[in-house]
Amino acid sequence: MSATVLEARALLLDMDGTLVNSDAVVERCWRRWAQRQGLDSETVLAVVHGRQGYATMAALLPDRPMEQNHAENRVMLAEETADTEGVVPIGGAAAFMASLTGLPHALVTSADEALAQARMGAAGLPVPSVRVTAEHVGASKPDPEGFLKGAADLGFDPADCVVFEDSEAGITAGRAAGMRIVGIGPRAAALSPDAHIEDLTRLRVEATPEGRIRLHIDAAR
């Protein structure tokens, strides 16, 4: 049995792959895009997780004008927002979110506001009142801007925050922000987060008398 205890003042939560399993719709939309571009779909899917769509497009088609990437990203966001078939909560997400009631936490996602509302709603999860969505940042993960803004919005130093993430782009962003990382799910397992769990059933949240958040993380499978 492997257990870890982390303490923080605030938690910063990614959405896709961390709170919500949206892999089905992400794969549907991006496979269609890959086919239109004449790209291998598996290559595209290896890049897409954790980034804003325009950043994925720029990584895959580096010679294309960014204006075209932003235009296609708007189309992609509309497609993804309209398609919630197969969107479900990550195991333990509902209980985890309930345990954060009254504790400092924020959603930090590469989705825009409409997509975040659609997916959290489809998964039956509450949307945190503090959230950093695509509209609030100038740079996509793996840039740390979103996590730094989330910490600032909550009023805490980056070193006092713990990030929950599933993707390489997100974990890279959290590290660059100077934060500790709890990795969720299979994509995070090989990325050396401070702690790793398969899903949120392996986690217990405790509020300490000093006003801190104590995370009891059981990595045993």
Side-chain angles (χ1 to χ4, degrees):
M1 182 173 182
S2 177
T4 302
V5 177
L6 297 177
E7 284 198 7
R9 299 294 299 279
L11 307 183
L12 301 177
L13 315 174
D14 175 51
M15 181 179 70
D16 293 304
T18 300
L19 299 175
V20 171
N21 183 342
S22 57
D23 283 359
V25 59
V26 169
E27 290 198 8
R28 282 196 295 274
C29 290
W30 282 96
R31 284 184 190 279
R32 288 196 298 267
W33 182 86
Q35 185 174 28
R36 292 195 297 268
Q37 304 304 322
L39 297 174
D40 175 68
S41 60
E42 297 308 317
T43 300
V44 171
L45 292 175
V47 175
V48 68
H49 295 288
R51 291 178 169 84
Q52 292 190 42
Y54 74 84
T56 295
M57 295 170 188
L60 292 164
L61 299 171
D63 296 328
R64 199 166 74 157
M66 282 303 296
E67 293 82 358
Q68 187 173 350
N69 294 335
H70 283 288
E72 285 195 9
N73 185 47
R74 289 190 288 272
V75 174
M76 180 69 73
L77 284 170
E79 289 181 8
E80 291 188 272
T81 301
D83 184 356
T84 56
E85 183 180 352
V87 174
V88 295
I90 293 291
F96 172 62
M97 295 300 290
S99 74
L100 298 184
T101 302
L103 300 177
H105 66 285
L107 189 71
V108 181
T109 175
S110 295
D112 66 3
E113 177 72 18
L115 183 56
Q117 293 282 354
R119 286 192 177 157
M120 293 289 280
L125 298 175
V127 181
S129 58
V130 179
R131 51 191 178 272
V132 180
T133 56
E135 299 94 333
H136 300 133
V137 297
S140 170
K141 300 172 186 176
D143 191 282
E145 181 185 358
F147 286 125
L148 292 172
K149 181 170 177 54
D153 288 351
L154 291 170
F156 295 104
D157 290 336
D160 287 329
C161 298
V162 168
V163 164
F164 283 70
E165 264 287 359
D166 73 299
S167 71
E168 182 176 7
I171 289 174
T172 300
R175 284 204 186 105
M179 301 173 183
R180 290 160 293 158
I181 313 293
V182 176
I184 310 295
R187 283 188 288 269
L191 300 172
S192 301
D194 296 277
H196 175 261
I197 45 179
E198 289 301 312
D199 62 28
L200 294 163
T201 64
R202 315 300 306 192
L203 175 73
R204 181 169 62 86
V205 177
E206 175 190 2
T208 74
E210 300 79 24
R212 298 179 67 82
I213 302 170
R214 186 173 292 148
L215 302 171
H216 299 267
I217 302 162
D218 177 11
R221 299 184 62 180

